[in-house]
Amino acid sequence: MNLKIIKNFFDSKDLQIISSLNLKKKVDDNKSVVYHNKITKDGEIESELFSHDTLNFFQKKYHPIAIKILEELFPEKVKLYEYSEFHLVETGKNFNFPIHDDIPNKLLSGVIYIKPEKNSGTVFYETKSGHGKNIIEWEVNKAVFFSRVERKTWHSYSGDGISNRVTIVYNLMTSDTKKVFAIEGKNNIYGRLRSFINPYLFRFFKKTI
């Protein structure tokens, strides 16, 4: 799997802005909360955490970097870009997200580690069963990007059992999943069905662990 790892992704002032945000949602030890923030290529914004000015600023500053990464990892997908997700995710210390590959709407998937100083990073695998493990260790302000491919870009993450884990999930997105599957050389009908079913399987999994 091709990964793009960037240390010190955010400028120091921008990292301070994100790190200092007042996160008001309660986070149980075994759960996670997401603060959703979205901006389209036409500048339309939906945000529950950042001001519109801040999200516009981040888009103008970091979008060229993200697009360049997508051009490097999967250039055929660049033309499908429609909007960016700039979610802040806080996960409880005992939270575990099992091995999965991302939904086809994600052209570029990225995570930037925000705080604390030490926690657990992201684990990538060669197979869904967990073989060929590649651990990207936690380091504040380190970014990890990849472009998902159906049933190939397996990964997982979890808390370290000590403290909550705060990240920015920075994704470049599309609604045209039919073209995504065509570019990947995958079956559109099967892929869409699998994408629909997977969230329900995940919720079932969480109830059984």
Side-chain angles (χ1 to χ4, degrees), residues 119-138:
N119 212 288
S120 58
T122 310
V123 186
F124 294 89
Y125 310 87
E126 293 180 3
T127 67
K128 187 178 181 179
S129 59
H131 293 105
K133 185 183 295 187
N134 178 20
I135 302 174
I136 308 302
E137 299 289 353
W138 182 276

Side-chain angles (χ1 to χ4, degrees), residues 57 118 136 154 171 173 177 206:
F57 173 77
K118 296 182 179 180
I136 308 302
W154 303 111
N171 303 317
M173 306 290 292
T177 57
K206 291 302 295 180

Side-chain angles (χ1 to χ4, degrees), residues 79-145:
K79 61 186 178 183
L80 302 181
Y81 170 74
E82 295 176 6
Y83 63 98
S84 299
E85 291 179 339
F86 206 84
H87 301 334
L88 187 145
V89 181
E90 182 176 6
T91 56
K93 63 182 182 179
N94 297 323
F95 179 82
N96 175 62
F97 202 117
I99 299 174
H100 64 288
D101 60 343
D102 280 351
I103 59 174
N105 304 76
K106 293 183 180 182
L107 304 173
L108 182 72
S109 300
V111 59
I112 303 99
Y113 306 140
I114 303 300
K115 60 182 181 182
E117 286 295 322
K118 296 182 179 180
N119 212 288
S120 58
T122 310
V123 186
F124 294 89
Y125 310 87
E126 293 180 3
T127 67
K128 187 178 181 179
S129 59
H131 293 105
K133 185 183 295 187
N134 178 20
I135 302 174
I136 308 302
E137 299 289 353
W138 182 276
E139 182 179 335
V140 172
N141 208 17
K142 178 193 286 184
V144 184
F145 290 95

Side-chain angles (χ1 to χ4, degrees), residues 155-174:
H155 58 289
S156 69
Y157 64 93
S158 62
D160 64 354
I162 299 173
S163 55
N164 287 4
R165 180 182 190 271
V166 178
T167 62
I168 289 291
V169 174
Y170 183 20
N171 303 317
L172 302 186
M173 306 290 292
T174 187

